[in-house]
């Protein structure tokens, strides 16, 4: 558990930060102690059409540390994945800025941990209210920087805001215990206390919701945070910082340090190894998660991680074909297949296989429209970058070379280099890349199976286990399969499973811990046992 004694004994509390190329105007009590409103926005740096008409207050380009907007010595470009146009230049934070952010968060923690649960709850609720008030602008920021269709972006903002609402309520439900021991003159108490500063590293595919799901829980528990957003989508994190400031979240409680891909590794290492950081929360690839775990090991930090998936989607002979196709469409093609819980492998029983593939292909052709996320009617936006397109293309080519059949799609879309056609493959086998490598794109490979046991074996033949889905009308089979799937979340006759009220997380190499739900706040709390004797 973090303690404030270390910092107090190591030097004065008043901090004077000097970032390269930047001079600060001092506040009374130093930057961290200043609880007043943040200064006005810096001039915008040439935003593309999707952002041009938005409120200037939400379009931030500097880091947000200790309640202040601070530039860095360098900047990096953020691009619209649909057009390739530059959206703006954002502060490229490095090691000095990262260390300053951690120190600001630690300073703030010394006060924030003592703020009443009711007050923390009220501030989180104000933050939620401001998100709802600004939901349209926030959604447009998501679409501009991630390419996500505007309707989906609007849905993400509501989902994101609900985490702040949920944890504003959970803040007042952090209960302890009283234990009666075998000794008559003793009582045992169990207290729950905040762990300290949390380093929060988030992905680009849900640039708002992945922040509030972590930060909402952290702040409700009494922790402070340093957020490192994905380099592709920093504007959402910075807009949330502006709204946090407007809501009255004290300086240093919520800090954002954007950085380029070039600086990402060293910034991540700094915030994960700093002795003032007590907790790491990360959503991203399993490979990166393992690197961060090694960083955390030296100082034995608390860690929660939501990592890669390879979700099976099983359709048994008893399934309702129309329901299964609707679930497959929702699970596979949301955000163009760029979600950690999207179905990666479709396992379809022989008796229903042909009917399902036919109906699935028809639904893809009828209901999916590829286009710019701002265009009316678009359901499939671009992939985040050309590297993501190359991965899908590689998997399709590999499958076809090994005998798979392209039912629909199968190639890059004519709209541009970051677009790929929604693709359905049949005659897929387990030796193909798409069967054992996470795609993160609009590719649906179908594997035919004969028995329930075979389907379970194929589904569980992975070293990850985040989500799994299956369709069946057999009650006994539903219980068997739900219990045997080696995943952290199961959708039974349902393709969309995420909800703020329910625990999100995986098993195997898909991560550690759970987010959301009543369990999510526990990731930011320590248990302390107090023995009260002499009674």
């Amino acid at each position: 558990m973090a303690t404030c004694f270390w910092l107090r004994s190591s030097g004065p509390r008043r901090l004077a930060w000097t970032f390269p190329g930047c001079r600060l105007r001092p506040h009374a009590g130093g930057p961290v102690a200043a609880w007043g409103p943040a200064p006005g926005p810096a001039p915008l740096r040439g935003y593309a059409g999707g952002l041009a008409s938005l409120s200037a207050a939400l379009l931030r380009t500097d880091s947000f540390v200790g309640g202040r907007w601070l530039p860095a010595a360098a900047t990096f470009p953020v691009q619209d994945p649909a057009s390739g146009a530059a959206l703006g230049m954002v502060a490229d934070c490095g090691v000095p800025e990262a260390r300053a952010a951690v120190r600001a968060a630690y300073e703030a923690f010394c006060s924030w941990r003592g703020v009443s649960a009711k007050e923390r709850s009220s501030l989180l609720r104000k933050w939620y209210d401001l998100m709802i008030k600004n939901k349209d602008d926030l959604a447009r920021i998501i679409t501009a920087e991630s390419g996500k269709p505007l309707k989906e972006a609007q849905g993400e903002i509501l989902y994101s805001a609900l985490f702040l609402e949920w944890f504003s309520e959970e803040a007042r439900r952090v209960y302890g215990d009283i234990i009666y021991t075998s000794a008559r003159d003793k009582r045992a108490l169990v207290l729950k206390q905040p762990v300290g500063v949390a380093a929060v590293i988030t992905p680009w595919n849900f640039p708002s919701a992945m922040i509030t799901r972590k930060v909402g829980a952290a702040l409700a528990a009494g922790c402070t945070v340093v957020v490192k957003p994905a380099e592709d989508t920093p504007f959402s994190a910075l807009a949330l910082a502006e709204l946090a400031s407007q809501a009255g979240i004290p300086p240093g409680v919520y800090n954002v340090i954007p950085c380029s891909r070039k600086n990402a590794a060293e910034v991540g290492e700094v915030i994960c190894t700093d002795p003032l950081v007590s907790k790491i929360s990360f959503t991203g690839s399993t490979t990166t998660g393992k690197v961060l775990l090694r960083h955390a090991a030296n100082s034995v930090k608390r860690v929660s991680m939501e990592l890669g998936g390879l979700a099976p989607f099983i359709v048994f002979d008893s399934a309702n074909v129309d329901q299964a196709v609707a679930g497959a469409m929702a699970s596979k093609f949301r955000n163009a297949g760029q979600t950690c819980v999207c179905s990666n492998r479709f396992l379809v029983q022989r008796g229903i296989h042909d009917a399902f593939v036919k109906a699935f292909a028809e639904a893809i052709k009828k209901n999916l429209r590829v286009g710019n996320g701002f265009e009316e009617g678009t359901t499939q936006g671009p992939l985040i970058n050309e590297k993501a397109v190359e991965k899908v293309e590689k998997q399709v080519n590999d499958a076809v070379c090994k005998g798979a059949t392209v039912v629909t799609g199968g190639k890059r879309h004519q709209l541009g280099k970051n677009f790929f056609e929604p693709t359905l493959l049949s005659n897929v086998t387990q030796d193909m890349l798409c069967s054992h490598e996470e795609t993160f794109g609009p590719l649906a490979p179908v594997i035919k199976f004969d028995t329930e046991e075979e389907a379970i074996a194929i589904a569980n033949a992975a070293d990850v286990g985040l989500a799994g889905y299956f369709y069946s009308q057999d009650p006994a089979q539903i219980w068997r399969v739900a219990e045997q799937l080696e995943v952290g979340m199961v959708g039974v006759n349902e393709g969309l499973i995420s909800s703020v009220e329910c625990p999100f997380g995986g098993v195997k190499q898909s991560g550690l811990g759970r987010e959301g739900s009543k369990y999510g706040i526990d990731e930011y709390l320590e248990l302390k046992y107090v023995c009260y004797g002499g009674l």
Side-chain angles (χ1 to χ4, degrees), residues 270-331:
V270 166
I271 63 176
C272 290
T273 57
D274 194 299
L276 298 183
V277 172
S278 299
K279 160 77 179 182
I280 300 169
S281 180
F282 169 70
T283 295
S285 71
T286 299
T287 300
T288 302
K290 291 177 179 179
V291 172
L292 299 182
L293 280 171
R294 286 193 288 269
H295 291 330
N298 286 337
S299 50
V300 195
K301 299 185 190 300
R302 284 279 296 276
V303 175
S304 56
M305 294 191 170
E306 187 259 290
L307 307 176
L310 194 68
F313 188 106
I314 308 172
V315 183
F316 290 103
D317 282 342
S318 66
N320 179 299
V321 172
D322 292 337
Q323 289 181 1
V325 168
M329 292 288 289
S331 174

Side-chain angles (χ1 to χ4, degrees), residues 55 58 125-139 157-158 161 243 246:
S55 166
L58 292 180
R125 177 68 197 206
K126 290 178 182 177
W127 197 4
Y128 160 81
D129 290 337
L130 286 168
M131 285 196 69
I132 296 301
K133 180 180 178 181
N134 292 275
K135 64 182 186 298
D136 291 334
D137 282 353
L138 293 172
I157 290 302
L158 293 177
L243 296 182
Q246 292 181 22

